[in-house]
């Protein structure tokens, strides 16, 4: 474990596109253009080590626009806290386990929960929220069903 919150190595199965699809990197596009109406809002994470949570929140925003045609912002703080329900003491995130947590818990729109603190305070605030069970139910509606990881060998 180090100061950046990286714990162990990510699974090669998760991050190796060729192992999942049997395709080479040459078949993947070098770049792509996201339509302007799907570009998520810029957000500032401040000094909190939750960059992965912000990325996932923005991906959920894009999915929501595509599926429902509506703009909905999702809580990076909720994602960060749910990623850390165990008694971990380090800050930052492990992307490999983050996506698995998103498959299990989802996130809540910022209109329901829009706080962001560093760990362990973030986890403590989410778990102490008097509406925690209701928030869990709202978040489960945004769970992702699966994912394919891309990485560099």
């Amino acid at each position: 474990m180090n100061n950046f919150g990286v714990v162990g190595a990510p699974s090669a199965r998760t991050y190796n596109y060729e192992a999942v699809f049997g395709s080479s990197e040459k078949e993947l596009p070098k770049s792509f253009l996201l339509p302007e109406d799907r570009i998520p809002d810029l957000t500032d994470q401040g000094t909190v080590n939750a960059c992965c949570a912000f990325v996932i929140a923005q991906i959920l925003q894009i999915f929501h626009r595509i599926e429902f045609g509506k703009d909905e912002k999702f809580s990076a703080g909720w994602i960060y806290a749910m990623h850390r329900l165990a008694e971990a003491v380090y800050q930052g995130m492990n992307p490999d386990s983050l996506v698995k947590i998103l498959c299990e818990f989802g996130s809540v729109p910022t209109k329901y929960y829009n706080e962001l603190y560093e760990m362990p305070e973030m986890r403590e605030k989410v778990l102490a929220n008097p509406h925690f069970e209701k928030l869990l139910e709202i978040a489960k509606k945004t769970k992702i069903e699966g994912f394919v990881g891309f990485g560099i060998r």
Side-chain angles (χ1 to χ4, degrees), residues 16-104:
N16 187 338
Y17 179 83
E18 188 173 350
V20 175
F21 287 103
S23 300
S24 72
E25 294 173 16
K26 294 176 187 167
E27 295 178 39
L28 297 175
K30 295 285 182 204
S31 64
F32 66 93
L33 181 61
L34 188 63
E36 195 170 319
D37 65 332
R38 293 188 185 159
I39 297 174
D41 301 321
L42 287 175
T43 51
D44 182 357
Q45 73 186 58
T47 60
V48 177
N49 293 299
C51 55
C52 295
F54 276 86
V55 170
I56 292 294
Q58 291 182 328
I59 289 171
L60 286 175
Q61 184 179 355
I62 293 168
F63 287 170
H64 194 82
R65 283 181 186 166
I66 292 169
E67 190 167 343
F68 301 107
K70 297 178 185 174
D71 187 35
E72 187 78 72
K73 295 177 181 118
F74 290 89
S75 174
W78 174 269
I79 295 168
Y80 192 34
M82 297 306 285
H83 180 254
R84 288 300 174 70
L85 286 182
E87 293 299 319
V89 294
Y90 60 92
Q91 298 172 349
M93 305 180 79
N94 182 332
D96 191 31
S97 61
L98 171 67
V99 176
K100 291 174 187 172
I101 293 296
L102 193 58
C103 289
E104 184 176 347

